[in-house]
Structures are given as C-alpha cells and as structure tokens.
Amino acid sequence: MVYALSLGCSKNLVDFERLLGPIYDDLGFSPTSEIEEADLILINTCAFIQSAVKESLDKIFLTLSRRKPTAKLAVTGCLPSRDRAALVSDIPEIDLVVAPEDYPNLPSQVALLFGLREPNVQATFNDWPRPRLGTPYYVAYLKISEGCDRKCAFCLIPKLKGRLKNRPFEELLAETRALVEKGAVELTLVAQDLSSYRDGPLDLGDLAATLAGVKGLRWIRLMYNYPQTLTEKLVKKLANIPKVVPYLDVPLQHVSASVLKRMGRPRKDSLKFVQRLREWWPGVTLRTTLMVGFPGETVEDFAALLKFVEAAKIDHLGVFEFEAEDGTLAATMPDQVPKAVRKKRRAQVLSLQKKISLAKNKARLGQVYDVLVERPAEDSPLIMTGRAIFQAVDVDGIVFFDGLQPKSGQIVKAKAVKAKEYDLAVRLIADDNGR
C-alpha cells in the first residue's frame, strides 16, 4: 500500500503523479489514504520559500510519528534539490531522498528497498503514466516546460530547476489526449514561465490552438504568465481560441519602479498594462500575485502598491510577504523590512482586496455563467460545489449550488444568486425553469 502526499505547487504535482505510475503498474503497489496502512510513503516537498520548507519538514516528522515500524519513507521534490545532504544527515529515518533529476531511478530504488524485481520502465520520464492525485479527475494540469531563465532577485527556482526547457508539441498533445481519455474536462497549462513557451517557430498560442483540437476537452486555462512576454499579438491569439477560457494569471509582484528594479523584474506601468490586457482580451479575468516588504520597500512604495490595487481591481489577488531565502540576491540586500511591517502591509492589501472581491461578486448576481461541477462540499455532502469559468482550481473561490444539485464533471449554465467575498452561490438554469 502506498500513501502519497504532494505539497506545494501544481508543477511539482505533475511530476509526482508520474512517479506513481510505475510504482502502481510495475511494482504492484496500491494506494491508501491512511498513513498507518502504508508500506511505502511518498512525500513530495516544496522548498521555494522558508514557510514551504517548514511545512515540508513538519509533514515529514508527522509522518514518521504515525507510520508503522516496517513502512518505508521516500522524500521527493524541491527540498532534496535545495539541501539533500542536510535531509540525509538530519533525518536518517528517511529511506530515500530523491531530487527531480533522479526521478527516473526511483522505481528501481523502491524495488531494491522492498526486494522486488526490477521494474520494466522503458519510456522516458515525461511519457510515464500519470495516476491522478489531488485535483478531481475532470481537471488536469499539463506542465509545458521546466525551469526558468529569469533572474528575479528573490527567487530560487532557477537554482532548483535549472534553465528553461520547453517540451515538444507532439509530446504535450499526446499527454493531453491521454488525460482527456481519462475524463479530464479542463486542462490547466502550468510552467515557471508559461508565456515564454516556444517549440521552434511555434508559441503558446499555437500550442493552445493545437490542444484545443482534442475532442472532449472543454476548457484550457493559462497559469503563470510572465508579463514581459504577454504581448498584444499573443494575447489576441489566445483570445480567439474558443476553448481557452478568458483567464490570465500574470504575477506582477510589485508596481514601484525602484522595487521592481531591485527585484530584477520588468518595470512596466502596471496599471496601464492591466488596462491593455483588458482591451486586448475583453472580458478576461485577471489573477496576479504581489509581494510586500521587499528590501528597501519604502512607505511611498507601499502606498503606490495600495493605490494600484484600488485602481486595477484585479479579480483574484494573492499577497506574499518577502522572505529572505539563502542563495538569493535579495537575501543579501540592505534595508531589510522588519517582519512586523511586512505582516502589517500584507494584511492591509488583503483587507482592501477583500472589499474589491466582494463588490465584484455582488456585481455578478443575476448573471449566468458556465460552471464546472466538481464535488460535494466538505461540510455539507448534499451540496455540490464547482468553479465558474472565472475561477481556477485550488487558488480562487468556488461556487455552491443552491437548489437542484448537478452531477460531477459537467459544465452547466448557472445563475449567481448569493455573494460572499470569494465564493458564490449559484442556481442551475434548469432549476429556474421549474425542473
């Protein structure tokens, strides 16, 4: 029996799912949701920031305290990439520590650990089968590239993942077909730098158009687009592909020119850029992330950030406190902002965005939207939940069905009838017709 837990981002989840393929298919393990039942425990870690490192370590120690004495523990993901030697020396109870570059060897290592025959894994890693984990079967992530060529002063990704490596069109098309055959209705494209994707002369728009031709696929969503490469030409190309939902995730990080310069980020007029995105793609839903407390961020810089949030009225906003990560340029910069100030600034931005989000949801009342039906609510199993076309899985709000309850995996028409800060209640159009 295998207990598998993936922490952190969707990009890590994709590779973790691949690891499970030969463990199930070739080595004969089966999944379990109970740690105490597992013979093999796999924990996929995130180590992008210190809080993620802490969460990963906490999960490892909790697992060690709950596993049965004979169970084996394998730790994968970014934490082994960040400091494999420390994991091996500090937590000797871990049986396998496997960084992403060593993933193709994991099935053989597991076989050796349990005295099993050598697995017959012949395909390259990106062609391994992906047992679904985490997201519902009708939502699938497709990682189109790995690594990043950007030099953001706060980010460890290039050191952990290496240079940008794009996957070939044909490989992505084959994986998409396999995911749709298994029931995927929505495909979310992910990468460290999505909008920089190229395969020869072909770009992200060409890829999306090709994937849109897969029969049975209904929605394609685009996450993690770098602002500098979201050109008018690319955005308009994407807007004209019917299956690409009008949604763009574009991490801006800040708006102050001086802060952006120290971050190593493009110094655009952020408000004008947001306005142009909305002009190039009418009706587009925008998501972004902002960072507060970057070294040298002044009261004036933060005031500019608040002014932007108020004026731009972004649909979905994530806010992070700067964390000084060892190995990054930002960790060595002078004028580090005290933690208490960072925490207060984050709370201020979130408070402002909460009001904006509530106003946006209230404006949606009475409107009809396409909604992907997902699963019963955790605290009310008789009530189904889902996501409207303007909501991405795991990061945005959700909708609750009021009245007639639809089945999972459908895309239905529903009217917004109640609004909260981040979530909506919706009613099936069929319900309004008395059915």
Side-chain angles (χ1 to χ4, degrees):
M1 301 286 281
V2 175
Y3 177 84
L5 174 66
S6 185
L7 305 171
C9 68
S10 55
K11 298 176 285 295
N12 280 348
L13 174 64
V14 171
D15 285 345
F16 190 58
E17 289 177 339
R18 291 193 208 287
L19 288 177
L20 295 174
I23 288 175
Y24 293 155
D25 296 347
D26 294 278
L27 297 180
F29 286 89
S30 57
T32 177
S33 60
E34 303 297 330
I35 294 176
E36 294 82 359
E37 295 179 354
D39 302 297
L40 172 64
I41 299 169
L42 292 168
I43 299 181
N44 190 40
T45 60
C46 180
F48 175 49
I49 53 179
Q50 281 299 324
S51 57
V53 172
K54 182 180 183 303
E55 180 189 12
S56 295
L57 291 173
D58 287 347
K59 290 293 185 183
I60 290 170
F61 287 120
L62 177 62
T63 299
L64 287 170
S65 70
R66 293 177 58 189
R67 69 172 178 173
K68 62 185 181 183
T70 57
K72 306 298 183 182
L73 173 61
V75 174
T76 66
C78 292
L79 197 54
S81 288
R82 181 165 178 157
D83 201 344
R84 186 184 188 281
L87 271 179
V88 171
S89 63
D90 295 348
I91 316 178
E93 297 89 346
I94 300 174
D95 298 282
L96 292 174
V97 178
V98 186
E101 58 268 25
D102 296 323
Y103 281 172
N105 299 320
L106 180 64
S108 295
Q109 291 174 308
V110 170
L112 184 63
L113 202 60
F114 285 89
L116 302 174
R117 60 172 175 76
E118 179 75 12
N120 184 27
V121 183
Q122 297 180 346
T124 59
F125 180 69
N126 282 334
D127 293 328
W128 287 8
R130 279 177 57 190
R132 304 300 309 286
L133 183 72
T135 56
Y137 71 91
Y138 32 81
V139 182
Y141 291 115
L142 182 72
K143 186 167 69 170
I144 67 172
S145 64
E146 183 68 278
C148 184
D149 290 340
R150 307 295 173 184
K151 297 179 180 179
C152 300
F154 54 82
C155 186
L156 276 173
I157 291 297
K159 290 188 176 182
L160 295 177
K161 300 291 187 178
R163 299 289 303 273
L164 178 68
K165 300 175 286 293
N166 293 312
R167 295 178 60 194
F169 251 49
E170 291 305 317
E171 186 177 282
L172 294 169
L173 180 58
E175 185 172 349
T176 297
R177 287 172 174 151
L179 291 168
V180 173
E181 285 177 4
K182 293 179 180 178
V185 174
E186 176 183 343
L187 192 69
T188 299
L189 305 191
V190 296
Q192 274 81 28
D193 184 358
L194 194 84
S195 46
S196 292
Y197 178 84
R198 305 288 298 188
D199 184 8
L202 306 174
D203 63 8
L204 178 63
D206 300 311
L207 174 63
T210 300
L211 301 183
V214 174
K215 187 177 180 181
L217 181 63
R218 299 286 301 280
W219 287 356
I220 297 174
R221 195 177 299 271
L222 308 168
M223 304 294 290
Y224 314 112
N225 295 277
Y226 195 76
Q228 197 170 29
T229 47
L230 271 183
T231 62
E232 179 177 2
K233 180 181 178 182
L234 176 58
V235 172
K236 288 184 173 179
K237 184 187 292 188
L238 293 167
N240 286 320
I241 304 170
K243 288 186 181 180
V244 175
V245 299
Y247 184 107
L248 286 173
D249 172 47
V250 192
L252 296 174
Q253 306 302 354
H254 214 283
V255 300
S256 162
S258 59
V259 173
L260 290 169
K261 182 178 180 179
R262 290 194 298 278
M263 285 181 167
R265 301 280 296 184
R267 297 184 293 281
K268 293 189 174 189
D269 182 325
S270 298
L271 182 58
K272 186 176 290 185
F273 177 60
V274 166
Q275 292 168 342
R276 284 177 176 168
L277 288 175
R278 287 171 170 155
E279 290 170 3
W280 298 338
W281 196 343
V284 70
T285 294
L286 295 179
R287 175 179 179 80
T288 194
T289 52
L290 298 174
M291 181 182 293
V292 297
F294 190 80
E297 183 188 58
T298 64
V299 171
E300 292 76 18
D301 293 328
F302 181 65
L305 194 66
L306 285 177
K307 185 177 179 181
F308 166 79
V309 172
E310 176 64 44
K313 291 182 170 49
I314 298 293
D315 298 277
H316 305 292
L317 176 64
V319 187
F320 298 91
E321 296 176 37
F322 168 76
E323 294 186 22
E325 298 297 327
D326 291 340
T328 64
L329 177 62
T332 67
M333 289 181 174
D335 301 320
Q336 297 281 326
V337 177
K339 182 172 180 58
V341 175
R342 301 198 306 264
K343 185 176 181 180
K344 181 179 179 181
R345 289 178 179 177
R346 179 175 184 268
Q348 285 181 261
V349 178
L350 288 175
S351 177
L352 175 56
Q353 180 62 26
K354 189 175 182 180
K355 297 174 184 176
I356 293 169
S357 296
L358 179 59
K360 281 183 170 286
N361 273 349
K362 285 183 174 179
R364 292 181 172 118
L365 294 177
Q367 301 297 311
V368 174
Y369 298 100
D370 287 332
V371 175
L372 175 54
V373 187
E374 294 193 332
R375 63 187 105 192
E378 291 184 6
D379 55 351
S380 301
L382 297 180
I383 297 177
M384 294 299 292
T385 66
R387 287 177 299 104
I389 197 168
F390 50 81
Q391 295 168 321
V393 67
D394 292 335
V395 291
D396 298 334
I398 60 176
V399 301
F400 296 86
F401 283 90
D402 181 16
L404 188 65
Q405 299 296 304
K407 295 180 180 180
S408 297
Q410 303 178 83
I411 293 180
V412 299
K413 297 284 185 183
K415 180 188 293 186
V417 294
K418 297 176 187 176
K420 292 187 176 181
E421 287 87 354
Y422 303 110
D423 301 329
L424 284 165
V426 299
R427 188 170 297 147
L428 283 173
I429 296 300
D431 200 19
D432 289 339
N433 292 334
R435 293 175 56 189

